[in-house]
């Protein structure tokens, strides 16, 4: 027979935390599932541009549309098969490395030229450099490359040019 004891302490359970990589992977899988369920998956994989070897023109960053008629000030990224990234921030040349882990991209060892920027070019460059700092989820649908933060919010959109 069991007796209740007044001195008995409640059981304390350890709080388990999920490692950040697992959380990001879970969020990316949920995001991919949501995109498939919402009808965004109407393209076959043959219709999608390749992440590597494609000129990715920046069209939106942190909700701000990016438009320029000046090809020399066009913000873009190009990723190689050997883990190198090159591009333009809208004002300065960018270069560095990247790593892929599932649907997460990490930009590392990034550097840029240091020309003075004014107007929209300065604003776009600030956003672009900020965007490259943190790992992000990525997805390609058709000719569009989209980067998401850990909260699955769109942080940048790129369009395949060639």
């Amino acid at each position: 027979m069991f007796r209740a004891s007044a001195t008995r302490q409640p059981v304390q359970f350890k709080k388990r935390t999920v490692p950040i990589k697992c959380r990001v992977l879970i969020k990316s899988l949920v995001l991919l599932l949501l995109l498939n369920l919402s009808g965004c998956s109407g393209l076959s994989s043959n219709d999608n541009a390749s992440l590597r070897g494609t000129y990715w023109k920046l069209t939106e960053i942190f909700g701000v549309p990016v438009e320029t008629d000046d090809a020399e000030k066009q913000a873009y990224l190009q990723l190689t098969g050997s883990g190198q990234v090159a591009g333009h921030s809208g004002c300065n040349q960018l270069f560095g490395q990247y790593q892929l882990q599932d649907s997460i991209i990490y930009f590392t060892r990034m550097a840029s030229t240091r020309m003075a920027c004014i107007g929209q070019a300065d604003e776009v460059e600030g956003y672009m450099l900020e965007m490259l700092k943190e790992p992000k989820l990525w997805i390609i649908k058709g000719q569009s490359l989209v980067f998401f933060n850990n909260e699955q919010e769109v942080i940048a959109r790129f369009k395949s040019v060639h």
Side-chain angles (χ1 to χ4, degrees):
M1 183 151 220
F2 293 103
R3 280 194 260 176
S5 171
T7 61
R8 190 170 196 180
Q9 296 293 322
V11 176
Q12 296 288 326
F13 292 100
K14 277 186 169 180
K15 183 177 180 183
R16 292 186 137 185
T17 58
V18 178
I20 186 76
K21 287 182 182 180
C22 291
R23 285 186 285 178
V24 171
L25 181 59
I26 291 168
K27 287 181 179 182
S28 65
L29 292 173
V30 168
L31 178 66
L32 290 172
L33 178 64
L34 289 174
L35 287 172
N36 283 332
L37 291 176
S38 67
C40 294
S41 62
L43 299 172
S44 72
S45 61
N46 293 336
D47 294 330
N48 291 341
S50 173
L51 179 65
R52 297 175 177 109
T54 300
Y55 182 101
W56 291 107
K57 175 185 169 186
L58 181 67
T59 59
E60 178 187 319
I61 190 156
F62 294 109
V64 177
V66 177
E67 298 174 12
T68 182
D69 293 330
D70 188 349
E72 291 182 15
K73 294 187 179 191
Q74 188 174 78
Y76 71 91
L77 291 176
Q78 283 185 301
L79 291 82
T80 69
S82 62
Q84 302 295 312
V85 60
H88 197 272
S89 67
C91 182
N92 285 289
Q93 296 294 321
L94 300 170
F95 43 93
Q97 298 176 348
Y98 73 95
Q99 294 177 341
L100 296 175
Q101 291 182 348
D102 299 315
S103 57
I104 302 169
I105 189 165
Y106 299 83
F107 292 99
T108 61
R109 299 183 180 179
M110 294 302 295
S112 70
T113 57
R114 306 286 289 173
M115 294 175 44
C117 309
I118 58 172
Q120 182 187 11
D122 184 47
E123 183 179 359
V124 170
E125 177 170 73
Y127 285 146
M128 185 92 153
L129 295 175
E130 182 67 27
M131 186 265 309
L132 294 171
K133 288 181 182 178
E134 299 293 323
K136 59 209 55 52
L137 304 171
W138 65 276
I139 189 168
I140 294 175
K141 283 295 180 184
Q143 303 303 305
S144 296
L145 168 64
V146 183
F147 288 149
F148 299 88
N149 63 16
N150 288 338
E151 288 76 40
Q152 300 175 1
E153 300 166 329
V154 173
I155 56 174
R157 293 181 193 271
F158 295 83
K159 178 183 175 186
S160 168
V161 176
H162 46 73

